[in-house]
């Protein structure tokens, strides 16, 4: 019984310590994405709605763009480079899925 209580405690502690999936808009703000991008206007990088329109219907868009978010990119929207971002693979995917959902 004591062993079961310890296991349950460990599982609950992990559940509390692990954050729930963050709101992608809040994550974009927290990760600094909004310093260069806005939803509906170009800043340094393209507007997120423009990204969503350009990649709409492309089957590998999430994977391709998540790689660009994580590793950086240049040339798709001009010669100003987007530097690599400090995001996990899952965070990059969540951010890209959110961007692609914008209309």
């Amino acid at each position: 019984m004591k062993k079961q209580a310890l296991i349950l405690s460990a599982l609950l502690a992990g559940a509390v310590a692990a954050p729930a999936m963050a709101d992608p808009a809040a994550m974009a703000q927290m990760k600094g994405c909004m310093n260069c991008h806005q939803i509906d206007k170009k800043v340094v990088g393209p507007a997120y709605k423009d990204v969503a329109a350009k990649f709409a219907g492309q089957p590998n868009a999430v994977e391709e763009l998540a790689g660009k978010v994580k590793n950086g990119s240049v040339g798709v929207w001009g010669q100003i480079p987007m530097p690599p971002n400090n995001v996990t693979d899952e965070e990059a995917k969540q951010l890209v899925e959110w961007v692609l959902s914008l209309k």
Side-chain angles (χ1 to χ4, degrees), residues 21-88:
M21 289 234 188
D23 171 39
M27 186 187 327
Q29 187 69 40
M30 181 183 77
K31 295 290 186 175
C33 305
M34 304 304 275
N35 293 335
C36 295
H37 299 276
Q38 294 295 309
I39 290 175
D40 57 0
K41 69 178 181 177
K42 179 184 182 337
V43 184
V44 174
Y48 284 148
K49 286 185 177 182
D50 292 341
V51 174
K54 183 172 188 158
F55 288 90
Q58 293 188 22
N60 296 325
V62 172
E63 293 80 16
E64 179 183 342
L65 292 174
K68 291 176 185 290
V69 168
K70 186 162 177 145
N71 302 313
S73 177
V74 67
V76 177
W77 297 92
Q79 292 308 304
I80 298 174
M82 179 174 72
N85 291 277
N86 186 20
V87 294
T88 65

